[in-house]
Amino acid sequence: MFKEIESRNEFNEIVKEEKLTVVDFFATWCGPCRMLAPELHELESEHPEINVVKVDVDKLPELAGIYYINAVPTLIFFKNGKVINQVSGYMDKDTLEEIVLNLK
């Protein structure tokens, strides 16, 4: 399953990696977030070259603030520590895969 980020330092270490990292900003009470989780899991299983991690906005509100997260789920795509794309809302695996393939 996904790694849930526990601290800002851990977040900074993970997103600075060279490979594409998808950060799922979510909340446990969010229905669309729960629907998105299996889609992300399937995407990660089929594409080991990407890294998918989760940030609970209720546990780490400072990270949500830094990245102006106003809605959940929000996915931010990082490469080498830089934001290269951001999308909000539920989407199916095919849509996620299309985004990832365009970013690689």
Side-chain angles (χ1 to χ4, degrees), residues 8-90:
R8 188 170 170 181
N9 286 339
E10 180 182 21
F11 175 86
N12 291 337
E13 287 299 312
I14 289 172
V15 300
K16 74 178 183 183
E17 292 179 13
E18 186 175 323
K19 73 186 210 176
L20 180 64
T21 299
V22 181
V23 180
D24 176 18
F25 285 86
F26 78 104
T28 57
W29 47 263
C30 167
C33 298
R34 289 192 299 270
M35 291 170 44
L36 183 61
E39 306 288 352
L40 286 170
H41 181 68
E42 192 174 332
L43 179 74
E44 184 180 44
S45 296
E46 293 177 9
H47 295 277
E49 71 278 10
I50 66 168
N51 188 22
V52 178
V53 297
K54 297 177 80 64
V55 172
D56 186 332
V57 297
D58 292 325
K59 290 182 182 175
L60 293 172
E62 70 277 6
L63 275 177
I66 289 168
Y67 291 97
Y68 302 104
I69 304 302
N70 295 317
V72 288
T74 292
L75 302 177
I76 301 183
F77 300 81
F78 289 86
K79 195 164 193 176
N80 296 317
K82 304 235 184 289
V83 175
I84 57 173
N85 198 7
Q86 179 172 332
V87 295
S88 293
Y90 169 80

Side-chain angles (χ1 to χ4, degrees), residues 83-101:
V83 175
I84 57 173
N85 198 7
Q86 179 172 332
V87 295
S88 293
Y90 169 80
M91 59 202 72
D92 62 25
K93 188 196 72 85
D94 291 338
T95 303
L96 289 168
E97 189 168 47
E98 184 177 326
I99 293 168
V100 165
L101 293 175

